[in-house]
Amino acid sequence: MRLRALLETEALGLRLLGGEEELDRTVRGVMTTDLRDPSRYLTGGELVLTGLAWRRNSADSEPFVRILASAGVAGLAAGEAELGDIPDDLVSACVRNRLPLFAVNEDVAFATITEYVVRQVSGERAGDLAAVVDRHRRLMTSGPAGGGPDVVLDLLTTDLDLRAWVLSPTGRQIAGAGEPLAPGVCAALASEHLAAVRTGRRGPHRISIQGITYSLFPIRGHGRGAGGPAARDVRESVLSDWLLAVEADAGDWPAERLDLLQGVTQLIAVERDRRDAARTVRRRLAQEVLELVQTGAPPAEIAARLRVAAPVLLPGLGSAPHWQVVVARVDWDGGDIPGGPVAQSLLEEILVDPSVSGPEPSDRIAVAHAGDEAIALVPLPSPVGEGGEDKGPDAALHADALLAAVREPLQAGLADDGRLTLGVSAAVHSAEGLRGALEEARHARRVAAARPGRVCAAGHHELASHVLLLPFVPDDVRRAFTARLLDPLRDYDRRHRAELIPTLEAFLDCDGSWTRCATRLHLHVNTLRYRVGRIEQLTARDLSRLEDKLDFFLALRMS
């Protein structure tokens, strides 16, 4: 709104004392102060209301007015209740600094002016932003992208004083206005949003973190359930949709403002759909390479396809990269929801460093899906030493690290009826190694699937030990085997507090060394020999035999 509009509103009781040529200035807010230096609280465009308590003598007016003018305020309104007529030195100072000055009638409260300005400015901002949002929507739906989510978020900040961020379902920041959110805050916001969606709560969802309230709005793309809640199962999109987090409590917002934010989410969804469409090329590249690998195509043919994929996934790469394969699977109870597409979009997000903001990093991940399984082909640049030798991949993926930062949000999204399992291969540097890498990643995922928990991962390093075998022992065999060997010892420990199980674990861990085991347990060697003898007596086994040691070791690991 303009200063002129305030002057023309009789109910405000304003009288112009100077600055008539500046009445077309825009008022963007209002502030009441009697500080001698209020500059730290000014952002520009305010109508400043003052009772003149800061003025002790005529020399105080010039510094005060100069501070306001430097801050870019729209105008100054001084109350007549304290001093009666406005001092001439203040009028002169405003004239010199080209700052419009109003006198406020003593019968008009500052609160009345504040309420009027806030109501008018908020309404105009909402209307202006709605028009901008509508204009951008038309542009983005009929032509090329218009700058991405950041442009829309900047509008929210400048026009509605709202700080907002776009987050992925794993809590990674896609876009934001102002300072980035801390990773822990992002993860908590994503978790709350996913939990609310899975329980069917109506949005916007609200959460308070460290004394700050955030309102969360889902961003649903037209390709992911745009037909409404009844059109598709929420599990098909909950782990792929973005969300808009606004630093405000939307609980008492009027319907007009809520509708405006919904329009903003729709606008961002258009950009999301564009980026999904752009992933088609990378997904097709991954699909072609994997089909060649699985059908046993000649390495030369696979290598040729990899040479096509590398520039797309790593622009500007000078040398051929190493490759890793990551396999993921999402399973829902009942098996009526296809897990492949969900795992594909989720894997594209998980493989991005959670500390990296923006949508672009996920544009360098090639993921295909077959059935309920998603398979990622991940390029790793190979650093080259001074002598030209290949020093190996410098950014190899590790299974546990992939899920460390995203486990909390994913568990909220999977709720009680979903499960994510993930396997990671070792890095390979040639087409010949891809088939083995794919099988390695699949085996690792099966190891992860045999573990308890909603979100589990396993890496290639776990496939070179007994850990690979133990998860696939049938449960009834596992229980019978461990019961036969360990139950007699457990029963004896309960009756006599003999600590035979801890003694057995320590003895095996010390490779059967009597001295080292006795030292670890703080026992005399004779006491240790007595306990081991009791173990052998109760189980009819001989701990000097390798076979019996191995049986005890496996029983302890499976128990």
Side-chain angles (χ1 to χ4, degrees), residues 338-380:
V342 178
Q344 182 180 43
S345 59
L346 191 56
L347 196 52
E348 287 171 335
E349 181 59 38
I350 290 175
L351 292 174
V352 179
D353 185 344
S355 65
V356 177
S357 63
E360 289 75 18
S362 61
D363 291 344
R364 296 187 177 183
I365 307 297
V367 184
H369 79 83
D372 289 331
E373 187 180 68
I375 305 168
L377 192 63
V378 183
L380 301 173

Side-chain angles (χ1 to χ4, degrees), residues 303-544:
R305 183 60 59 184
L306 287 176
R307 284 194 294 272
V308 173
V312 175
L313 301 176
L314 287 175
L317 185 65
S319 59
H322 287 76
W323 300 89
Q324 272 183 287
V325 176
V326 182
V327 173
R329 181 180 174 118
V330 173
D331 294 289
W332 302 104
D333 291 353
D336 55 336
I337 303 298
V342 178
Q344 182 180 43
S345 59
L346 191 56
L347 196 52
E348 287 171 335
E349 181 59 38
I350 290 175
L351 292 174
V352 179
D353 185 344
S355 65
V356 177
S357 63
E360 289 75 18
S362 61
D363 291 344
R364 296 187 177 183
I365 307 297
V367 184
H369 79 83
D372 289 331
E373 187 180 68
I375 305 168
L377 192 63
V378 183
L380 301 173
S382 302
V384 177
E386 294 180 359
E389 75 279 8
D390 185 353
K391 297 169 62 179
D394 64 340
L397 302 174
H398 298 278
D400 292 337
L402 283 178
L403 296 179
V406 300
R407 191 179 301 273
E408 178 186 351
L410 291 181
Q411 287 176 337
L414 293 165
D416 296 328
D417 59 351
R419 192 156 192 259
L420 168 68
T421 51
L422 184 146
V424 182
S425 79
V428 297
H429 66 277
S430 66
E432 291 89 342
L434 274 182
R435 186 176 181 85
L438 175 59
E439 292 306 314
E440 193 173 55
R442 282 175 166 161
H443 279 305
R445 193 207 64 78
R446 286 193 285 270
V447 169
R451 296 171 175 169
R454 290 288 168 188
V455 180
C456 297
H460 61 90
H461 61 282
E462 299 181 64
L463 305 185
S465 73
H466 63 280
V467 176
L468 173 63
L469 303 176
L470 295 184
F472 303 104
V473 177
D475 288 343
D476 54 345
V477 175
R478 182 196 302 256
R479 286 191 294 268
F481 181 72
T482 58
R484 185 168 61 252
L485 278 178
L486 301 182
D487 279 2
L489 306 182
R490 293 186 178 119
D491 292 341
Y492 192 87
D493 281 347
R494 278 194 296 270
R495 294 196 307 269
H496 304 283
R497 298 181 181 179
E499 298 188 351
L500 296 184
I501 292 289
T503 301
L504 175 62
E505 291 175 332
F507 186 72
L508 294 175
D509 195 43
C510 292
D511 298 325
S513 169
W514 297 98
T515 303
R516 284 195 289 127
C517 184
T519 301
R520 174 181 293 190
L521 296 175
H522 305 289
L523 297 175
H524 192 278
V525 172
N526 289 340
T527 303
L528 175 61
R529 291 185 183 275
Y530 172 81
R531 289 187 182 180
V532 170
R534 179 63 67 182
I535 291 171
E536 293 175 332
Q537 179 185 11
L538 291 170
T539 60
R541 297 295 183 111
D542 183 356
L543 278 170
S544 65

Side-chain angles (χ1 to χ4, degrees), residues 12 25 57 60 133 170 231 263 283 304 354 361 406 423 431 458 464 518 523-524 529:
L12 299 183
R25 290 187 180 185
N57 54 58
D60 293 333
V133 168
T170 62
R283 288 175 172 177
V406 300
L523 297 175
H524 192 278
R529 291 185 183 275

